[in-house]
Amino acid sequence: SSSSIETPREKVAGNKAYAEKKYSEAIKHYSALLRHAAPFPAHTREKEGAPPLRSVALSNRAACRLKLGDFEAAVKDCSDALEVYPAYEKALFRRGEAYRGLKKWKEALTDMR
């Protein structure tokens, strides 16, 4: 069974920065969130049924990288998120968008199916 932890403040701060279109600031918070999640088992979640915190942090950071046009880094973050939690639709969709940004149409189509 997966353990759960309360929502770390880094996630709250990252989400707020993202909402305010401060993407570089949000990346810093999500990177801190990954450091925060590091000591926990890979599948630690905020609540039962939620994606693992590590995957959420990576996928959210990828969303920021997409907004900044850093598609290569977004692909990597999404792939890392999917490694922890292969069923993460949001990370798959974001990776598809990143592939589209890189004009890698075949990979984009595969992810967005």
Side-chain angles (χ1 to χ4, degrees):
S1 92
S2 59
S3 53
S4 61
I5 55 175
E6 62 178 288
T7 302
R9 61 187 171 77
E10 296 99 330
K11 183 181 175 204
V12 176
N15 291 356
K16 183 175 183 289
Y18 183 87
E20 292 169 359
K21 297 183 169 44
K22 297 175 182 167
Y23 304 119
S24 297
E25 186 186 315
I27 285 172
K28 288 189 188 113
H29 290 299
Y30 295 131
S31 297
L33 179 56
L34 285 162
R35 289 192 294 277
H36 179 112
F40 297 102
H43 282 275
T44 301
R45 302 160 195 273
E46 286 174 77
K47 56 180 181 289
E48 200 52 56
L53 187 60
R54 192 165 302 165
S55 291
V56 171
L58 285 160
S59 179
N60 287 5
R61 190 169 72 178
C64 298
R65 297 196 196 284
L66 277 173
K67 294 286 190 188
L68 295 170
D70 190 354
F71 302 121
E72 294 281 358
V75 166
K76 182 171 184 339
D77 277 350
C78 290
S79 295
D80 290 349
L82 289 159
E83 206 170 290
V84 177
Y85 186 55
Y88 199 9
E89 296 278 332
K90 200 180 269 184
L92 203 57
F93 182 77
R94 284 177 177 156
R95 190 173 69 180
E97 292 202 302
Y99 279 136
R100 199 168 61 187
L102 293 166
K103 299 187 169 31
K104 292 187 175 178
W105 309 117
K106 192 164 62 78
E107 292 91 336
L109 276 172
T110 303
D111 279 357
M112 291 175 136
R113 238 197 296 257

